[in-house]
Amino acid sequence: MLKVSNEVRDALACGQAVVALESTIISHGMPYPQNAETALEVEQVVRHHGAVPATIALFDGELCVGLEAAQIQRLGQEGLSVIKCSRRDLGAVLAAGRTGATTVASTMIGAHLAGIKIFATGGIGGVHRGAETSMDISADLTELGRTPVAVVCAGAKAILDLPLTLEYLETLGVPVFGYQTKSLPAFYSRQSDLEVDYQMDTAEAVAAALNAQWQLGLTQGALIANPVPEANAIDKAEMDKVIDQALTEADAQGIKGKASTPFLLARVAELTGGTSLQTNIALVKHNAAVAAQTAVALAALEG
Ligand code: PSU
Ligand code: MN
């Protein structure tokens, strides 16, 4: 049921750097056509930095690692009608032969099955605000605790409770590395009032820490938090207002479960009239570059 593209399989067999990319960000994270355009551009950024991209999704009963451009286009066009698949969805969606987009959790699973250790995305799921009553905690976090893949992201959106997300990652034994920063980036903005576990100033330093963790036989992943480029950062107070409104609307409409994150992402994008989309696109590309550099450094250590 695992279908690894020829290009990705050959690269892995030769010890070349490969970077996994998720597909829920395409179907549920951005509007069409920017979603498909961005996904294709992100693959180019990975190549430009010396690694092979492996976007992951489910088609016709197979967990596909490495997609054709036409498949990426389809995920973008079909958008919300594609099934958002986290760990628990994989069996049912594969058995039914339906089209599925992978979240951070299930992309980590596909990457690990294929032998890919580095993965780039925009933001991860986490502990939602109000989780003490809703118990809404993303399966992305538990996956980070059990699967040895490192995820490069721009932190987590403030639709989440960032302090609780860090606490949960600590409980699961997941290290949070700040890429050239001590402060945990907050997706749209470069800083928060929280600190990462370790600041890492180079891709080589990140690769060395990952290599040591996995050489020891530890099985958890890692989070590499890379701040949004300065030119694309949005003022935190401005975003907080928008996020509060989106959260109030979600609450009023009784949105919960797997629909919660896509609803909040879409409302935030609508309410900021496209500014946040440009920021989202810029930070994903930046993460793809850092992920590719890290994958190259890790391949050199392993070689
Ligand atoms: N956060 C973002 N953009 C995204 C997502 C989260 O800023 O596209 C997507 C990712 O695919 C992530 C998923 O894995 O939402 C988390 O969903 P949930 O909270 O339902 O686990
Ligand atoms: Mn959830």
Side-chain angles (χ1 to χ4, degrees), residues 90-266:
L90 294 176
V93 173
L94 285 172
R98 299 174 72 184
T99 303
T102 52
T103 63
V104 167
S106 54
T107 303
M108 289 177 73
I109 294 171
H112 181 54
L113 289 172
I116 303 167
K117 294 175 177 154
I118 308 293
F119 162 19
T121 188
I124 58 159
V127 179
H128 281 253
R129 295 203 209 168
E132 60 275 20
T133 50
S134 69
M135 291 190 67
D136 190 348
I137 299 172
S138 175
D140 291 353
L141 299 187
T142 39
E143 202 61 47
L144 281 160
R146 71 203 287 183
T147 301
V149 170
V151 181
V152 182
C153 69
K157 286 203 172 96
I159 58 172
L160 303 174
D161 186 319
L162 300 186
L164 290 191
T165 299
L166 280 189
E167 290 291 350
Y168 205 81
L169 288 168
E170 181 187 1
T171 301
L172 292 167
V174 178
V176 180
F177 300 139
Y179 190 72
Q180 299 174 343
T181 182
K182 185 76 193 131
S183 169
L184 179 76
F187 200 87
Y188 297 113
S189 39
R190 290 175 56 84
Q191 294 194 345
S192 66
D193 44 20
L194 298 164
E195 286 199 351
V196 296
D197 300 326
Y198 298 94
Q199 174 170 341
M200 298 284 174
D201 289 325
T202 61
E204 287 70 24
V206 175
L210 295 174
N211 190 50
Q213 172 178 314
W214 292 329
Q215 282 292 312
L216 197 59
L218 300 181
T219 54
Q220 81 275 28
L223 203 62
I224 300 153
N226 178 36
V228 59
E230 191 86 63
N232 300 285
I234 309 181
D235 180 58
K236 189 172 176 310
E238 194 183 313
M239 278 320 290
D240 280 348
K241 275 189 234 152
V242 169
I243 285 165
D244 282 339
Q245 183 179 337
L247 286 166
T248 306
E249 289 178 15
D251 202 35
Q253 295 177 41
I255 310 279
K256 54 184 190 316
K258 70 190 282 188
S260 176
T261 297
F263 176 89
L264 294 168
L265 297 178

